[in-house]
Amino acid sequence: MFIADNWKDFELMYAGDGEKYERWGNVLLQRPDPQSVWPKLTEWPKPHALYNRSQTGGGSWTRIKPMPANWTISYNSLGKELNFIIEPTSFKHTGLFPEQASNWDYCGNIIENAKKAGKKDIKILNLFAYTGGATIACAAHGADETVHVDASKGMISRAKENVIKSKLQDSYIRFIAEDCMSFVDREIRRGRKYDGIIMDPPAYGRGPKGELWKLEEALYDLVIKCEQLLSDDPLFYIISSYTAGITAQASGDVLTLGVCNKHGGTVDAQELCLPISNMGIYLPCGSTARWTTGKYS
């Protein structure tokens, strides 16, 4: 397991009956989670807000106690303070996936080691980058250029706010509001290279020409295409997936076939997990496969 267990401002307190109960700073939220397949074993305190699914799709939050519309929480990533705006949305999300903190620390450690070893001009590409957790972590740990690509202009705007909250506005971060596949194709034509690639592709998407694709069918081709962007002295290649049809092992196998066979190195693929503080167990939250040469680990 890759466990994100260094949080102070976030805590997964309970889970069960398809629900989870979390503390985000001082705000308590209860929302659905399909991996909570065991029963509730205790009575949970009343949250500030409870998410209710709609039978027609989506859902809404019921506010039980006064709470702000949005607020900021912090994460200490190996000594670097990262700050994020939290705002519950109609899709049950909050603007951050806290289990990804394990990947932030992983990237940060390798980037710092590479800098200490004298590697210069470190460039990181973050695809399907959402609100910028990995972008901010890489910048905070010393990446010379971080490229943040997401098709949603709203997510780009929130990522920029998180950069400011984290006092990283002087870092060289390029924000690209574009289809990721189109961007990758253009970067290949330009001959651009990156030392690290991070991606968290959705279960369903559209290609550069608007064609629909399923991640299970498109992942290998996507990884092979992005491999062309790796530099001659790469640091890492990370795939995260929340798609039920793609296991950690499957993602790892794709990296082995698509990256190891050309660059060497090793792949480590595990479930992403959060500790449930009041239950002594872990909640699986998707999967991650990490490739690295081991040179800077």
Side-chain angles (χ1 to χ4, degrees):
M1 294 185 294
F2 296 140
I3 303 171
D5 56 0
N6 291 321
W7 279 99
K8 304 298 182 187
D9 276 4
F10 169 84
E11 180 184 8
L12 174 56
M13 301 174 69
Y14 304 97
D17 280 345
E19 300 278 325
K20 59 185 175 182
Y21 184 100
E22 306 159 305
R23 176 180 63 82
W24 297 82
N26 296 320
V27 178
L28 303 172
L29 300 178
Q30 184 175 329
R31 54 185 179 142
D33 192 288
Q35 296 299 316
S36 301
V37 296
W38 50 86
K40 288 183 181 178
L41 301 178
T42 59
E43 189 70 24
W44 299 353
K46 283 187 177 181
H48 288 84
L50 172 69
Y51 186 84
N52 301 289
R53 286 194 182 278
S54 169
Q55 293 184 348
T56 59
S60 61
W61 290 89
T62 299
R63 301 199 176 203
I64 299 171
K65 297 188 288 188
M67 57 177 280
N70 60 69
W71 62 100
T72 301
I73 67 170
S74 298
Y75 178 73
N76 186 309
S77 176
L78 309 178
K80 307 294 184 181
E81 184 178 293
L82 316 179
N83 295 300
F84 305 100
I85 298 170
I86 303 303
E87 183 174 3
T89 72
S90 60
F91 298 101
K92 86 168 182 174
H93 298 302
T94 63
L96 193 69
F97 291 93
E99 63 273 11
Q100 287 289 337
S102 171
N103 284 329
W104 306 339
D105 292 349
Y106 176 82
C107 295
N109 179 63
I110 291 181
I111 290 170
E112 289 194 5
N113 287 344
K115 299 281 281 190
K116 290 175 184 175
K119 185 171 173 61
K120 301 183 183 302
D121 199 23
I122 294 175
K123 295 182 174 68
I124 306 297
L125 174 61
N126 187 13
L127 297 169
F128 312 97
Y130 196 48
T131 58
T135 296
I136 291 166
C138 290
H141 286 287
D144 297 284
E145 178 182 352
T146 309
V147 179
H148 175 113
V149 187
D150 197 282
S152 169
K153 292 182 179 180
M155 293 301 101
I156 293 280
S157 295
R158 179 48 50 89
K160 290 179 177 179
E161 292 178 291
N162 287 335
V163 166
I164 293 171
K165 289 283 186 180
S166 299
K167 300 179 181 178
L168 291 168
Q169 56 267 38
D170 292 334
S171 298
Y172 185 28
I173 301 174
R174 295 171 56 210
F175 291 98
I176 311 292
E178 186 180 357
D179 169 77
C180 288
M181 296 291 284
S182 298
F183 177 80
V184 168
D185 285 337
R186 193 168 66 253
E187 291 293 88
I188 291 172
R189 291 195 298 270
R190 290 173 171 173
R192 287 269 294 175
K193 298 293 181 179
Y194 294 90
D195 301 295
I197 296 175
I198 304 163
M199 61 171 61
D200 183 3
Y204 299 93
R206 291 186 179 273
K209 298 180 181 178
E211 65 273 19
L212 288 171
W213 57 270
K214 292 176 60 178
L215 185 58
E216 291 96 328
E217 300 168 355
L219 181 59
Y220 182 77
D221 289 341
L222 175 62
V223 169
I224 289 295
K225 183 171 286 189
C226 291
E227 180 277 326
Q228 298 176 60
L229 297 177
L230 283 175
S231 71
D232 293 333
D233 183 24
L235 304 182
F236 51 73
Y237 193 136
I238 299 175
I239 303 171
S240 290
S241 173
Y242 293 88
T243 303
I246 297 182
T247 64
Q249 183 63 45
S251 295
D253 289 344
V254 168
L255 279 180
T256 297
L257 295 170
V259 182
C260 280
N261 287 347
K262 182 173 181 179
H263 297 271
T266 59
V267 171
D268 190 7
Q270 306 281 345
E271 284 189 307
L272 281 173
C273 293
L274 286 167
I276 307 176
S277 60
N278 290 320
M279 300 181 71
I281 59 176
Y282 298 90
L283 182 69
C285 307
S287 64
T288 284
R290 301 167 175 170
W291 170 84
T292 181
T293 62
K295 182 176 178 180
Y296 302 111
S297 298

